[in-house]
Amino acid sequence: MNAEICRFWEWAQAQGCSMADLRVEGRSFFTREILPAGSTVFTVPFSILMHMDAAFDDKTFGEVYKKLSAAGASERIVLTLFVAVEKAKGENSFWFTYLSSLPQTFSTPLWFNEKELDIIRGTKVAASLSKDRAAFNQLVNFWAPSLHSTLTSRDESTNDSIATLLRTATQESSLLWARTVVLSRGFTLLLEGKHEVTLVPLFDLLDHSPSARVEWITDDAKREAKFISASELQGGVEVYNNYGQKANDELLQGYGFCLCPNPADVYYIRIGISPLQERPANCATSPEDDEKASRGDRQELMWRMGTSAEFALSLKQPLPDALLQTARICLLSDSEAYSAFGIGWNADMGAAELEISATEFQSISNLRELLLTSIAQFSGGLDVETDRKLLTQDCQAGDSFCHLTEKERFALMYRQGQKEIIHSTLQALGGRAASSLDTWAQCQGTPEIVMQTSDDTPNTYQKWLDDSGVTCDFIIEILTRVGDQPCLQLKKQCATGDILASVPSHLLFVSDCATSNGQQLPHPLTDLVKNLEDRSALKLLLLFEFGRGNDSLWAPYIKRLADHIDTRDYYKDDMLELLEGTNLMQELNDRIQHLQHEFGMVLKLLQDEHLQQVSSQTFTLERWLWADSVVERCALLVHSEEMYQSSREPHRRLVLAPVLSSLPSALNGAVVECVMESKSCALVIRALSTMRAGSLLCIPQSGLDNESRILQFVTETVVLDNEHDFVEIVLGSSPEDPYSDLKEKLSMASGLGPIQYLKRSPKSTLALASIALHSLDSDEDFDKCGAFDLLKLVSEAKSAASRGEESWCAPTGEDVGSYEHFDKYRQQAKGAHSAAASAAEQFVRTLQSPSRTRRAASTFRKLLQSVLSSIAGSSADDDRQLYARSGDAVCSYRAMLAYRHGQKEILEIWVRHLKQVLKEQTKAASTKRMRL
C-alpha cells in the first residue's frame, strides 16, 4: 500500500469504514483467500459520503447551494461546485484526505491535447465533445459566478479568506477536475428513500470489469453503504467494480479508459433517406425536390410504424435484420410501401416479406456508403491495421518503454474498436448482397444466355476491347432472356478484393472529361461540358461521338448501345395516344418537356465548329431522347480510390464505359465497387465478397410494376397481369374547401395518407375511411371524430421523438458517462407514440361507421368510374385481345398495351367491389331500420 493510499485508509478507518481481508497493491485490491459469494467487501458510513444533501448541510455554503439548486442547477452541478470548494479548502476540509487521494489528472476527452483529439477525430465521442465543452463552459461562466454572487448577496460581509477560497475553487482547472471526479466516480445510491449521485470513498478505488457481479446496498437504519461481491472470488484475484455493460465510447467519455477487447463495444449508426441515393430514372423534376418529398413520406411512414432510425452495430451482430429492413423502407416507392405495410400505425415491419429487387441491393449500397463516409472522417481513414500495430507494439514494449501516453492508448483502443465494427459490417453487407444475388438466381433458375461478347459477329466489339487495353479476367458481358438485358457473368470464382475488370481512362465517358488522376482528356467539348449538369454533359458527349460514326474512338461501343437500347418508339404520338388518361402518360409528357428544355439549352451552347464534326442528323430531339435513356440505364456513379481515405468531401463522377454499362447501378456498392484508380489510370470493378463461377450480375425485375419497368427503359420485361401493378388515386379537397388544410394534416396524422394505391385484390376499408375523411364539412363533424385530440397527441409524440433524437446525437455535459437520459427520452417518446397511435385508430374507426362507409363507397365508385372512362380504349378484355394479336408488334407497343390493360382491369375490379360493398351496406341499414 503506497503512502497516499495508506493515509487515506487510516482516515477512512477513523471515520468507521471497514474492509474485508484484502491485500493492496498500488491502487488495486486483491483477495488473500477465497471470498464467499455475498461477502461484504467495504462498509462506508453515510457521514463521509459526498452528495447534494451533504452540500446543503455545509455551514458556510449550504444555503447558497440550495439557492443554486432552486435556480435550476442540476444535482451534478451542485455536487461539482461542492467538491471544488472542499478541494480548495485544503486541510480545512473534512474530506481533505479523501480528495487528496484521488487522481489529479484524468484521461477523459476534455483533458485531451490536440494530438490526442486528432486520434478520435470523426468519432461519436468527438461529436459529443462540443456539447460536453458547452456544458463545462456553462459551469465556468454561469454557475461558478452565480456561486460567488449568491454568497455575496446573502452575506455582504464575506471576508477575504472566503473570497480567496472561491477564486481558487472556481478556476477553470479546479472546476474541470471537480467535474471529472463527479462524472467518473459518482455512484447513484438510494439514500433515505431517494436516489442521489454520490461520491463513495473506497468504492471508487476499484477498477471496472464487465463480468464482475457486485451489489451496492445502503442501510438507512445503520446509516451505512456496503459493497458486496455477489459471486465467490478465489484467493489472490483482483476485486473489481462493475459499471455496467458499457461500450468504449461511454467508458472513454465518462471514465477516461477503454477495454480491449470489449464485448459490449458498439458503433452507432443512424439511417434515413440517403442523400447519396441515385436519381431515379423517371425523374422529370429536380433531384432535390424529389428527395425532399420522398424523404418526408418515408420518414413519416417510419415514425408511424414506431421504427427506430438508430442502430447499435457490434462484432457479435454487425448487421441486424432490422437495420437492413429499415434501410429498404427508406428506398421504397410509395406504392411499394403501401403494398408491404399498408396504411396506418404500428405496421409490423418484421412481418413484411419484401421481394429481392433493386431496392435490396440499393439499400446495401447506401448503408455501405454511409459507413465508408463516416469512417473517412476518422483519423487514418479506413486503416485499422496501423491502429492494431501501434497498440501491439506499445504493449510489447512494456510500461517502462511505452511510446504512447495513457490518453493516446485509450483513444487508439476506442478508434480501433469502432473501425473493426465498421469493417465487420462492411463484410456482412458484401456477404448479404452476394447471398441475395444467389437466392434470386436460384428462384429464377438458370437464365437462357442469348449472346456472349465473344459471339458478337464479326467480334468487332470484343476486338476493340482487347486492342484498347480492357481486361476482363473474371467476367464476360452477356445478354440473357431475363428481360433481354445486358449483364455480367463470372467466368470463375472470385474473392473479396479481386479486380474483375479494368477499363483504361481514355475509354471512359466522364461528365467532367477528366481521367482518374484528374487530368483533362483531350476532347472538342471539354470546355463546353464544364457548364452542364453531369447527366446533360454525358448525354452531349455520347451524342457527339455517335454523330462522328466510325471516326469515333468509341464506335464499336456506341453501336452496341444503339443495338440494345432503342427507345425512339416511347415518345411517338401513337404510343402516347395509347396511354391517354393514365398516370404513365403524364409521367412521359413531363419527361418529354424536361428533355426538350434540356436539349434546347444544349443547342444554344453548341458552336458551328462542333456541328461540322458530326452528321447533320445527330443533334435532334429524337436522338437526345435516346441518349437520355442510355445514360439513365447505363451510367454509374464511381468514386476515386482516395475518396474514403481522407475527411475531404466525397466526390463521385458519373461515368459511361464499356463493360461497366452492363452492370446494374444497384449492384455498384453492394456486390462490387467501381473505383477510379490513379495508379493504373483506369476504372476497375472490384468484388466486395466471394462469388461463385457462373454468378450473374443482374437485377431481378420481379418486384416492379409495369409503369416502373417502362419508365426505367426495360419494356422487354413488361408482362400482362403483373401482380405488382396498381392504380394511383390522389384524394384531396378543392382549394375552396375551408377545411382543406385540416384534412391534409389529419390525412397524415391518421396514417390514411393522401394517395390510395389500388391493386387487383381490393382492400377498401381504409380507402373508404380516407374518402369519409374528405367528406367531413363542419367543426362538429371533426370534433365528433376526435380530430383535434388526434392532432394534439401527434404533435406531442413528434416533439418527444425529437427530444430523444437530440439526446442520442451526443449526451450533454453532466450526462456524459451515463446514458440513462437517452433511455428516459426514448421511453417518453414511446409512451407518446402509443397514445397518438391509439387516437389515430379511434379516429379511423369513427370514420368507418356504416353510414359514412355507405356514402364513401358511393362517392369512391363514381370517382373510379370517371377515371376509367377517361382512359383510352374500351374495356380491359378488349386490351387483352389486342395484346394477344400483337405478337409481331414492337416491344414498346406491347408494353404500353399491357400497362393500359392492367390499369383498366384494376379499376373495373374495384368498381364491381364497391358496388357490392354499397349493396351490403344498404341491406344492413335496411335490416337495422326494420328491427327498430
Side-chain angles (χ1 to χ4, degrees), residues 750-769:
S750 64
L752 291 173
I755 302 175
Q756 298 297 314
Y757 298 94
L758 313 185
K759 305 197 77 171
R760 282 182 168 82
S761 300
K763 296 178 181 178
S764 60
T765 309
L766 292 176
L768 293 178

Side-chain angles (χ1 to χ4, degrees), residues 154-286:
R154 187 179 69 88
D155 185 0
E156 294 183 359
S157 62
T158 303
N159 59 43
D160 291 341
S161 62
I162 292 180
T164 301
L165 172 68
L166 285 178
R167 279 196 297 272
T168 302
T170 56
Q171 288 178 356
E172 189 169 321
S173 57
S174 300
L175 290 171
L176 177 59
W177 179 85
R179 183 175 183 274
T180 309
V181 166
V182 170
L183 294 179
S184 64
R185 310 180 86 81
F187 291 73
T188 302
L189 296 183
L190 183 63
L191 299 174
E192 298 180 338
K194 65 178 180 179
H195 288 93
E196 290 203 53
V197 178
T198 308
L199 295 183
V200 188
L202 277 182
F203 282 26
D204 59 6
L205 282 173
L206 299 181
D207 288 333
H208 165 63
S209 171
S211 61
R213 295 179 57 203
V214 302
E215 294 178 359
W216 313 327
I217 296 177
T218 55
D219 187 331
D220 290 341
K222 294 182 178 180
R223 298 191 60 76
E224 64 184 19
K226 292 184 177 182
F227 186 100
I228 295 175
S229 176
S231 61
E232 181 180 274
L233 299 179
Q234 297 299 311
V237 299
E238 185 172 356
V239 181
Y240 287 101
N241 194 357
N242 189 338
Y243 304 166
Q245 298 299 310
K246 297 184 184 297
N248 276 344
D249 62 343
E250 190 173 352
L251 291 176
L252 180 62
Q253 197 170 358
Y255 305 96
F257 70 92
C258 291
L259 297 178
C260 185
N262 183 354
D265 206 11
V266 294
Y267 176 80
Y268 295 98
I269 182 173
R270 169 180 285 179
I271 65 172
I273 303 300
S274 173
L276 301 170
Q277 179 182 346
E278 291 194 29
R279 182 185 179 190
N282 61 341
C283 179
T285 55
S286 73

Side-chain angles (χ1 to χ4, degrees), residues 537-783:
L538 214 53
K539 294 173 201 175
L540 177 58
L541 290 169
L542 174 62
L543 208 52
F544 184 83
E545 292 302 324
F546 177 88
R548 295 176 72 176
N550 291 332
D551 292 335
S552 172
L553 169 66
W554 291 274
Y557 172 53
I558 293 174
K559 181 180 184 303
R560 182 179 174 84
L561 291 174
D563 288 343
H564 296 311
I565 302 176
D566 187 357
T567 56
R568 286 174 293 177
D569 291 327
Y570 261 55
Y571 306 105
K572 289 183 177 178
D573 291 341
D574 56 344
M575 288 292 180
L576 294 177
E577 287 172 4
L578 273 176
L579 304 175
E580 184 69 40
T582 65
N583 184 64
L584 179 56
M585 180 184 179
Q586 185 60 49
E587 293 278 359
L588 290 175
N589 277 330
D590 288 346
R591 178 185 284 176
I592 290 171
Q593 291 179 15
H594 170 73
L595 293 174
Q596 282 176 333
H597 175 74
E598 181 184 52
F599 181 59
M601 295 294 292
V602 169
L603 281 181
K604 291 179 181 178
L605 296 175
L606 287 170
Q607 305 295 323
D608 289 341
E609 60 184 275
H610 301 136
L611 298 175
Q612 290 170 2
Q613 300 180 52
V614 298
S615 163
S616 60
Q617 297 301 313
T618 300
F619 289 105
T620 65
L621 179 60
E622 184 180 275
R623 287 297 179 190
W624 188 258
L625 297 176
W626 169 79
D628 173 73
S629 64
V630 171
V631 170
E632 293 294 343
R633 184 164 167 174
C634 300
L636 292 182
L637 284 169
V638 303
H639 61 78
S640 65
E641 192 176 25
E642 299 80 14
M643 175 173 165
Y644 300 119
Q645 302 297 334
S646 70
S647 59
R648 292 178 301 175
E649 187 70 20
H651 175 63
R652 305 194 302 173
R653 292 189 183 123
L654 193 64
V655 173
L656 187 64
V659 182
L660 188 72
S661 58
S662 293
L663 176 70
S665 62
L667 297 186
N668 181 25
V671 177
V672 299
E673 65 174 346
C674 301
V675 182
M676 299 279 276
E677 282 191 342
S678 55
K679 183 178 179 180
S680 62
C681 203
L683 185 149
V684 300
I685 302 177
R686 183 181 294 131
L688 292 176
S689 64
T690 299
M691 290 181 283
R692 58 181 175 78
S695 295
L696 287 177
L697 302 185
C698 61
I699 287 292
Q701 304 294 333
S702 54
L704 286 179
D705 60 277
N706 281 340
E707 180 177 329
S708 297
R709 297 182 191 207
I710 292 171
L711 289 172
Q712 292 179 21
F713 305 107
V714 284
T715 52
E716 57 273 15
T717 69
V718 172
V719 294
L720 205 63
D721 301 325
N722 186 338
E723 64 174 332
H724 298 282
D725 276 347
F726 62 90
V727 175
E728 179 182 315
I729 302 295
V730 179
L731 302 177
S733 306
S734 66
E736 293 78 21
D737 185 349
Y739 296 104
S740 59
D741 289 344
L742 177 59
K743 290 175 182 178
E744 183 178 349
K745 291 177 182 177
L746 286 168
S747 179
M748 298 304 294
S750 64
L752 291 173
I755 302 175
Q756 298 297 314
Y757 298 94
L758 313 185
K759 305 197 77 171
R760 282 182 168 82
S761 300
K763 296 178 181 178
S764 60
T765 309
L766 292 176
L768 293 178
S770 189
I771 293 288
L773 164 60
H774 288 280
S775 300
L776 300 178
D777 57 5
S778 70
D779 286 351
E780 185 180 0
D781 267 357
F782 285 107
D783 194 38

